[in-house]
Amino acid sequence: MAFCSLIRTFAPVKLYSDQALAKILDKEIFHLIGDVADGMGVECYVVGGYVRDIFLERPSNDIDVVVVGSGIAVAEALKKRLGRKAHLSVFKNFGTAQVKFGHEEVEFVGARKESYSHDSRKPVVENGTLEDDQNRRDFTINAMAICLNKNRFGQLVDPFDGIADLEDGIVATPLDPEVTFSDDPLRMMRCIRFATQLNFQIEEETFEALQRMAERIRIVSGERIEVELNKIMMAPSPSKGFVDLQRSGLLNIILPELAALDIVEQRNGRAHKNNFYHTLAVLDNVAHQSDCLWLRWGALLHDIGKTKSKRWDPAIGWTFHNHNLIGAKMVPAIFRRLKLPMGAEMKYVQQMVDLHMRPQVIADSEVTDSAVRRLINDAGDNIDDLMTLCEADITSKNEVRKKMFLENFRMVREKLADLKEKDYKRLLQPVIDGNEIMELFHLQPSREVGVLKQYLKEAVLDNRVENAREPLMRLLLEKAKTMGLKTT
């Protein structure tokens, strides 16, 4: 299934002359770095993402500087020049140093070359030339460097024609992509992440290497994969990244529960929709409405239980009964495996998956006060996020049915707004609580207390009784009598 409608036109980058680049880099910090490096007789270059983002006209305050020599020594000299205006941090184990100056953060490192063993993504590092350093970069668009030394200030060094790839909207590796991905398999995730964030295409040879090397991702820690997944998730249209993850074979290793949705079965001429592409459409719909990372995760996993719940019923066709409940039970294991947080964030996503069908059930029939009250009670403070997810879940091609759902959702939102205005938390929690029930009937915490509490709550939610002391007490005494409970 094509997602052409989700892919926006890429605006070509500007080509800058050396003079124009020098003007763009005309910040005090860059001239100071160049002066310090000149005084020490070493070459220095701003490299990587900062250079890329100059051409993409994207704001960036994180500056990486490569020194052909000791990056730490240049950072220390720069700190001495800046005095109290700057803060220096040195990381000798990594051969790097960071200088914070105003709103800028500059990371210094010496030019280096790297070699890898097959079973690790941690390289053996040696001192190297600028060429060595550019050779070890992950992608051509991240391998450009701009000189900061006075006699060449603003000069672009672009051995792999990264500018052309920026113009064409392409992600490609500087050297053999199979070697690049084998050396550090996390680069496969970064490749797809950059393509998603920048709305670029992955160069054909590079993508074929992704497919061949996908299994290498198994040596990467869940924590590192989580970081890249979350960056893909926060892209303007994250579906693009998950399509590439699926096509490359990486998704089946990282998140096989989602990959398994990419199937359409047919019996007796009746087929169900492709739930993988439906999920991605919902994810994009949510992304266009909300920057909440965990709501986006809720969208990605909302139908995750459909593979396990799918059944064929000759009378009605394909069914996915209780897929929301099955999916909610799957969420903790997925979060644990991906090293995602297991606290409030996981519970929030689990709640979104569990409840995502409820507003649709309400909207599919008469929108009653009782149903809306129960929904608010179960969703609590996350009710607005749940409604956003459920509206995003309407991807039907049937415009009449889609219009009906959205109109009913509008009515649900109106009732929600009305209840909120009346302080819905107070309205939905019976004024007689468990402590009072135990005191009244001389009970310890027990099943009977739970039954009575739930009975009062159901009555309030169904609006069968006013949430006031007298009518609730009458109802409580009647129910207790049927259970053989007495007051003294």
Side-chain angles (χ1 to χ4, degrees):
M1 177 178 176
F3 269 71
C4 297
S5 61
L6 303 177
I7 298 176
R8 294 162 298 176
T9 304
F10 171 69
V13 301
K14 296 178 179 178
L15 285 173
Y16 295 103
S17 64
D18 288 351
Q19 293 78 13
L21 281 173
K23 186 175 181 180
I24 290 168
L25 292 170
D26 193 20
K27 289 184 177 182
E28 179 185 6
I29 190 67
F30 290 125
H31 288 288
L32 285 172
I33 293 169
D35 286 346
V36 168
D38 285 339
M40 300 176 71
V42 294
E43 298 174 29
C44 68
Y45 301 83
V46 59
V47 297
Y50 193 88
V51 177
R52 178 198 68 228
D53 288 343
I54 286 174
F55 292 101
L56 292 175
E57 299 183 2
R58 299 171 78 205
S60 178
N61 290 322
D62 296 329
I63 303 167
D64 290 325
V65 171
V66 163
V67 177
V68 184
S70 172
I72 293 176
V74 172
E76 290 173 336
L78 177 65
K79 167 65 174 79
K80 188 174 182 180
R81 173 81 69 90
L82 292 171
R84 294 183 178 179
K85 293 185 290 184
H87 175 75
L88 171 69
S89 301
V90 176
F91 310 96
K92 288 188 177 179
N93 288 345
F94 299 98
T96 66
Q98 184 188 73
V99 176
K100 292 185 179 180
F101 176 68
H103 297 295
E104 314 283 6
E105 291 186 7
V106 187
E107 191 89 21
F108 290 86
V109 65
R112 57 194 187 184
K113 56 183 176 180
E114 298 175 343
S115 57
Y116 293 80
S117 63
H118 184 75
D119 59 350
S120 173
R121 50 177 297 269
K122 294 181 180 179
V124 175
V125 178
E126 304 174 65
N127 293 333
T129 63
L130 175 66
E131 180 183 4
D132 291 328
D133 202 87
Q134 288 178 299
N135 285 344
R136 74 179 181 83
R137 298 279 163 174
D138 50 8
F139 307 110
T140 61
I141 59 175
N142 294 335
M144 296 180 288
I146 297 176
C147 188
L148 297 180
N149 297 93
K150 187 173 183 179
N151 63 338
R152 293 169 54 211
F153 190 86
Q155 185 179 104
L156 176 66
V157 182
D158 183 16
F160 305 109
D161 214 4
I163 281 288
D165 286 345
L166 278 178
E167 284 189 293
D168 294 336
I170 287 174
V171 178
T173 59
L175 305 176
D176 182 344
E178 192 163 310
V179 174
T180 297
F181 295 147
S182 179
D183 283 350
D184 184 355
L186 184 64
R187 290 170 176 164
M188 294 188 286
M189 295 294 298
R190 287 170 55 84
C191 178
I192 291 173
R193 187 251 292 182
F194 279 119
T196 308
Q197 287 179 325
L198 302 177
N199 195 26
F200 281 18
Q201 299 301 315
I202 299 171
E203 182 260 342
E204 185 176 353
E205 185 180 348
T206 301
F207 193 85
E208 289 172 355
L210 277 178
Q211 293 174 309
R212 290 193 300 271
M213 304 304 296
E215 284 291 325
R216 287 281 288 158
I217 200 66
R218 296 186 189 276
I219 74 166
V220 180
S221 71
E223 289 86 353
R224 301 306 297 270
I225 291 172
E226 173 210 351
V227 170
E228 296 302 324
L229 272 180
N230 284 340
K231 288 179 179 180
I232 291 170
M233 194 75 85
M234 290 306 294
S237 294
S239 64
K240 186 179 188 303
F242 285 97
V243 169
D244 283 342
L245 287 170
Q246 177 72 333
R247 290 175 55 228
S248 65
L250 286 165
L251 191 64
N252 194 50
I253 300 169
I254 296 167
L255 193 45
E257 299 91 342
L258 181 63
L261 295 176
D262 189 9
I263 188 173
V264 175
E265 287 193 62
Q266 182 171 323
R267 285 195 190 180
N268 298 343
R270 301 173 74 173
H272 61 77
K273 65 187 173 186
N274 185 306
N275 287 303
F276 175 73
Y277 287 102
H278 162 74
T279 292
L280 297 190
V282 175
L283 174 60
D284 276 355
N285 287 344
V286 166
H288 299 157
Q289 296 296 320
S290 173
D291 288 331
C292 174
L293 171 63
W294 305 112
L295 182 55
R296 294 184 184 203
W297 270 103
L300 187 73
L301 301 181
H302 81 283
D303 275 350
I304 206 75
K306 281 193 168 179
T307 302
K308 290 186 177 181
S309 65
K310 182 167 64 175
R311 299 290 184 272
W312 169 255
D313 185 330
I316 58 177
W318 293 103
T319 66
F320 301 92
H321 294 315
N322 294 322
H323 74 272
N324 56 314
L325 299 176
I326 293 170
K329 290 179 181 178
M330 295 167 65
V331 169
I334 291 171
F335 265 54
R336 191 173 293 109
R337 188 178 71 244
L338 294 177
K339 307 302 182 185
L340 291 161
M342 295 298 295
E345 298 88 348
M346 185 277 289
K347 291 178 181 176
Y348 169 92
V349 173
Q350 195 173 31
Q351 183 187 52
M352 292 297 108
V353 175
D354 184 15
L355 297 180
H356 80 271
M357 295 295 294
R358 287 277 293 283
Q360 287 193 30
V361 172
I362 295 172
D364 211 7
S365 56
E366 183 182 356
V367 182
T368 64
D369 285 348
S370 174
V372 175
R373 281 170 175 264
R374 288 176 176 278
L375 180 62
I376 290 176
N377 178 71
D378 292 341
D381 292 336
N382 299 327
I383 184 65
D384 289 330
D385 288 351
L386 180 63
M387 290 302 298
T388 298
L389 171 59
C390 293
E391 287 166 347
D393 199 13
I394 306 304
T395 61
S396 172
K397 299 296 189 293
N398 185 327
E399 291 300 323
V400 174
R401 182 170 172 78
K402 186 175 181 179
K403 185 176 180 181
M404 179 198 74
F405 268 118
L406 293 176
E407 174 60 21
N408 283 357
F409 278 146
R410 185 189 63 78
M411 293 170 61
V412 172
R413 282 195 180 272
E414 284 182 359
K415 288 185 180 290
L416 289 172
D418 184 53
L419 282 169
K420 283 184 179 181
E421 192 175 335
K422 294 176 181 176
D423 186 5
Y424 70 83
K425 287 185 179 179
R426 178 180 57 80
L427 288 172
L428 300 183
Q429 293 300 322
V431 295
I432 299 175
D433 63 14
N435 289 328
E436 188 169 355
I437 291 172
M438 286 190 289
E439 184 178 345
L440 184 63
F441 297 104
H442 301 286
L443 295 171
Q444 295 297 315
S446 59
R447 187 188 69 83
E448 287 85 356
V449 177
V451 169
L452 291 171
K453 281 178 61 179
Q454 188 63 28
Y455 184 72
L456 294 184
K457 191 166 192 175
E458 296 281 343
V460 170
L461 291 175
D462 288 338
N463 208 21
R464 289 188 282 114
V465 64
E466 183 184 356
N467 191 8
R469 186 169 188 76
E470 280 192 30
L472 277 177
M473 185 59 75
R474 285 196 299 270
L475 201 64
L476 175 62
L477 293 173
E478 290 172 8
K479 179 63 175 176
K481 188 176 180 180
T482 68
M483 296 170 63
L485 299 175
K486 296 179 181 180
T487 61
T488 56

